[in-house]
Amino acid sequence: MTGAGQDVPWWQKAVGYQIYPRSFQDSNGDGIGDIPGIIARLDHLADLGVGFVWLSPVYASPQVDMGYDISDYRAIDPAYGTLDDMDRLIVEAGARGIRIVMDLVVNHCSDRHDWFLKAVADPSAPEHDYFIWRDPGPDGGPPTDARSVFGGPAWTLVPELGRYYFHQFAPGQPDLDWQNPDLRAAIHEMMNWWLDRGIGGFRLDVIDLIGKDPDASVFAEGPDLHPFLREMHDAAFRGRDTLTVGETWSVTPETALLYCGRDRDELDMVFQFEHVTAFHHPERGKWDPLPFDLPVFKRALFLWQEALRDDGWNALFLSNHDLPRQVSRYGDDGEWRVRSAKALATAIHLLRGTPFVYQGEEIGMTNTRFTDPDEFRDIEAIGHWAEARARGEELEDFLTGVNANGRDNARTPMQWSDAPNGGFTTGRPWIGVNPNHAEINVAADRADPDGVVAHYRRLIGLRRDRRIVSHGQFVAHAEGHPQVMAYARELDGERLSVVVNLCAQPVSFRVPKGLEVEGESLSANVTPRTQVRGTLGLAPYEAFAVMGPGGESGPG
Ligand code: TEU
Ligand code: CA
């Protein structure tokens, strides 16, 4: 066992698990997942070996955007439980060595938040200045032509006031004005209130937007972003053993260290989305995805490994609640479902950084199939369908986009067993359960010693136990290879070589010199291998990792 005497932050050896509470486990038959349901399933997570949970929002919310519209930061939504339930979750998870990292949505709140109600009721109330108000444009319309992420203008008129407020997302999600020091102080106080309750940190929703300058149409990575993050660190994170991960769709390898460089005192890591947006259509975006292309995918991931080689830290993921299921997007959700789920896990989990598993990923859950807009639950799909329809687009074309990339794919309920509704609820689920739950479910997967869960459990354990996995240097190999993803990790004279065939066809792969190794099989989804050299015949979606002497400072 390596790693002794190495003093590193806990989250550098841990794997995160994202829970989307609405779809994880219902405990009372109302069809909506809840906190008692999560508590009842903690043993599944403990058995996987994850070190922390990223919990999507459970705060009080009208659920316009499924909780990303918060009406009370210090209350739990009754659909999810009570503050007592939340405290119990923190304790019960802690007893299993799992910390709870809460989703913090502070770029905006809900239009039902007390602050916004006061802001509208009385323009001289201090809360009025917690939001971004502008007079109508010269033509009486919105002040600028900014568009909301969910369709429609990003400005909504409050007729009683004769002024518009800004919302990057839905009208029910007014942006908070971070220029206002009182607003910032109120947010910091709330964050400390949660941290003092014993949570493990925060995932900060669209945090790259808080420094915006809407008058100049600058939204992401605006001029005040980093001063605000530094101030937040001083006010809430300094001296605490927390994990902070920012969601930053706009971060680039050039700006990443501004957030998470070691001398920055801002965040521990950021989610970057280059491997996601690389497959969005240049004009039509996510609704018209480009076909998967392995060299493009590798280039994005490898670029980030290089960029944060000596400083900063990567957050590694393929899935979350906004993205399609990874086995459908990047693997094969038919014949090779199980093997390709393991191949993708191997490819991601042996990189340098902190991996995040999205609920259901660990059993290879797939996208679902929408045939009717009535089945959409996501405001994004609903909003964009309304716009597409107004433009005269065909439903069939829109459905193709939604089935490939719609957010509801990730939000269908967790499939626990072959019971009705996959064991998620005894009632009527708030969103349709994927009909394939009869075959794809936790109970069935766990019954197989070669199941996807077993593969994840092993990968998660490797990060905890092997320093070469958590801290080895990354070395890219065979970058242009159209079928194989290969890289090495090197530390203290040892080399870990990772080879993944990300195609449904067998391939013969010539091992480059720097990838050669002979030693111990650490992970395999076909048969264990102990030698990486010469020309290897790889089976469809075969993935393996071998560790032995080699590497920078080694004899090999
Ligand atoms: O997502 C940020 C965001 O911009 C997404 O809406 C993303 O752009 C979209 O999926 C791409 O089509 C965060 C949350 O993760 C998301 O669930 C929220 O809806 C959003 O912020 C607003 O809070
Ligand atoms: Ca419930």
Side-chain angles (χ1 to χ4, degrees):
M1 172 120 162
T2 53
Q6 301 292 331
D7 191 19
V8 301
W10 61 268
W11 40 262
Q12 293 190 342
K13 295 176 87 61
V15 171
Y17 185 96
Q18 186 190 352
I19 291 182
Y20 196 69
R22 206 174 185 77
S23 304
F24 193 61
Q25 177 68 64
D26 177 22
S27 72
N28 61 353
D30 66 356
I32 298 174
D34 46 50
I35 297 173
I38 297 172
I39 295 172
R41 293 295 187 180
L42 281 174
D43 287 335
H44 172 64
L45 306 191
D47 173 72
L48 268 174
V50 302
F52 65 98
V53 162
W54 151 20
L55 183 65
S56 276
V58 289
Y59 314 89
S61 163
Q63 307 289 338
V64 164
D65 185 21
M66 302 304 166
Y68 285 85
D69 49 318
I70 299 172
S71 54
D72 186 346
Y73 286 99
R74 301 181 201 219
I76 300 296
D77 196 281
Y80 298 142
T82 63
L83 206 47
D84 276 350
D85 292 328
M86 186 64 203
D87 288 340
R88 213 152 49 80
L89 173 61
I90 295 168
V91 170
E92 290 282 332
R96 293 164 174 85
I98 299 170
R99 306 184 206 221
I100 302 292
V101 170
M102 286 185 87
D103 211 321
L104 185 74
V105 190
V106 289
N107 171 69
H108 46 269
C109 61
S110 160
D111 65 348
R112 307 291 170 78
H113 194 292
D114 201 42
W115 292 339
F116 194 75
L117 299 178
K118 285 183 173 149
V120 169
D122 176 9
S124 65
E127 289 81 3
H128 185 80
D129 299 328
Y130 282 16
F131 299 91
I132 300 171
W133 299 96
R134 295 289 182 272
D135 290 330
D139 59 348
T144 73
D145 56 11
R147 305 290 294 171
S148 140
V149 172
F150 298 145
W155 298 96
T156 290
L157 182 71
V158 174
E160 304 92 287
L161 301 177
R163 301 194 87 193
Y164 283 86
Y165 68 90
F166 180 76
H167 53 87
Q168 180 90 63
F169 296 91
Q173 295 170 293
D175 275 45
L176 291 164
D177 186 2
W178 277 74
Q179 298 298 330
N180 182 339
D182 295 338
L183 177 271
R184 300 203 300 275
I187 297 290
H188 300 153
E189 200 189 317
M190 173 274 288
M191 292 172 74
N192 277 299
W193 185 85
W194 275 110
L195 290 164
D196 290 344
R197 285 193 110 79
I199 63 167
F202 291 111
R203 173 264 186 189
L204 299 99
D205 191 64
V206 288
I207 204 65
D208 54 340
L209 303 183
I210 62 173
K212 69 180 74 71
D213 178 357
D215 301 312
S217 291
V218 172
F219 303 109
E221 299 196 324
D224 294 310
L225 170 62
H226 294 290
F228 290 163
L229 284 176
R230 225 146 27 232
E231 183 190 50
M232 178 188 286
H233 185 282
D234 279 347
F237 307 145
R238 188 176 295 288
R240 295 191 193 258
D241 191 20
T242 51
L243 175 158
T244 54
V245 49
E247 185 207 24
T248 53
W249 281 77
S250 56
V251 71
T252 65
E254 288 70 44
T255 61
L257 291 174
L258 297 176
Y259 299 82
C260 64
R262 70 170 70 82
D263 60 345
R264 293 294 294 181
D265 281 346
E266 294 190 17
L267 302 175
D268 295 323
M269 58 184 110
V270 290
F271 288 120
Q272 62 83 17
F273 292 83
E274 214 152 316
H275 54 293
V276 173
T277 53
F279 301 109
H280 288 177
H281 190 280
E283 285 103 48
R284 292 185 296 279
K286 69 183 279 182
W287 305 111
D288 198 355
L290 309 176
F292 181 61
D293 177 333
L294 185 62
V296 169
F297 180 73
K298 287 194 287 186
R299 204 174 305 134
L301 291 169
F302 288 2
L303 184 72
W304 277 87
Q305 290 288 302
E306 303 290 357
L308 303 187
R309 183 187 175 82
D310 300 316
D311 192 9
W313 192 256
N314 271 294
L316 308 167
F317 71 99
L318 294 179
S319 300
N320 69 29
H321 66 294
D322 294 331
L323 303 175
R325 291 284 174 180
Q326 67 189 49
V327 74
S328 301
R329 183 73 194 88
Y330 307 108
D332 177 341
D333 61 9
E335 183 184 359
W336 302 108
R337 183 185 67 83
V338 167
R339 201 190 284 174
S340 71
K342 294 179 189 174
L344 289 168
T346 309
I348 290 299
H349 278 247
L350 297 177
L351 291 170
R352 185 176 157 108
T354 298
F356 287 74
V357 178
Y358 179 71
Q359 66 183 43
E361 177 190 325
E362 78 279 25
I363 57 166
M365 273 177 65
T366 69
N367 279 355
T368 188
R369 181 124 225 108
F370 298 98
T371 56
D372 185 324
D374 281 350
E375 295 161 352
F376 302 166
R377 294 292 176 273
D378 177 19
I379 185 172
E380 184 183 59
I382 294 169
H384 282 270
W385 168 232
E387 286 197 332
R389 195 179 171 164
R391 279 196 304 266
E393 251 173 59
E394 295 293 331
L395 174 61
E396 220 163 293
D397 295 336
F398 189 75
L399 283 173
T400 306
V402 170
N403 281 315
N405 249 342
R407 307 198 299 180
D408 281 335
N409 280 305
R411 301 177 181 185
T412 65
M414 183 70 182
Q415 295 164 203
W416 295 103
S417 71
D418 61 4
N421 295 319
F424 163 70
T425 181
T426 54
R428 205 177 120 80
W430 71 276
I431 185 172
V433 180
N434 194 320
N436 68 19
H437 71 264
E439 179 211 339
I440 303 171
N441 60 69
V442 173
D445 190 275
R446 279 183 169 282
D448 179 358
D450 285 328
V452 186
V453 167
H455 193 79
Y456 270 85
R457 188 194 295 116
R458 183 162 179 88
L459 290 170
I460 294 167
L462 288 175
R463 179 164 301 274
R464 192 180 47 229
D465 300 338
R466 308 277 184 148
R467 230 172 68 81
I468 198 166
V469 173
S470 60
H471 286 83
Q473 282 297 353
F474 168 87
V475 187
H477 285 291
E479 285 155 273
H481 199 291
Q483 259 183 273
V484 176
M485 174 159 163
Y487 58 88
R489 304 287 306 282
E490 299 186 351
L491 186 75
D492 299 339
E494 298 219 272
R495 173 177 294 152
L496 169 66
S497 293
V498 181
V499 178
V500 184
N501 177 8
L502 274 174
C503 285
Q505 287 77 40
V507 60
S508 110
F509 177 60
R510 258 186 67 106
V511 176
K513 195 106 198 86
L515 195 64
E516 288 181 348
V517 76
E518 183 165 351
E520 186 188 355
S521 163
L522 289 195
S523 171
N525 67 351
V526 179
T527 41
R529 294 186 185 248
T530 52
Q531 262 200 27
V532 183
R533 70 177 70 228
T535 298
L536 303 174
L538 307 180
Y541 290 106
E542 177 171 0
F544 58 86
V546 179
M547 190 176 84
E552 280 178 278
S553 49

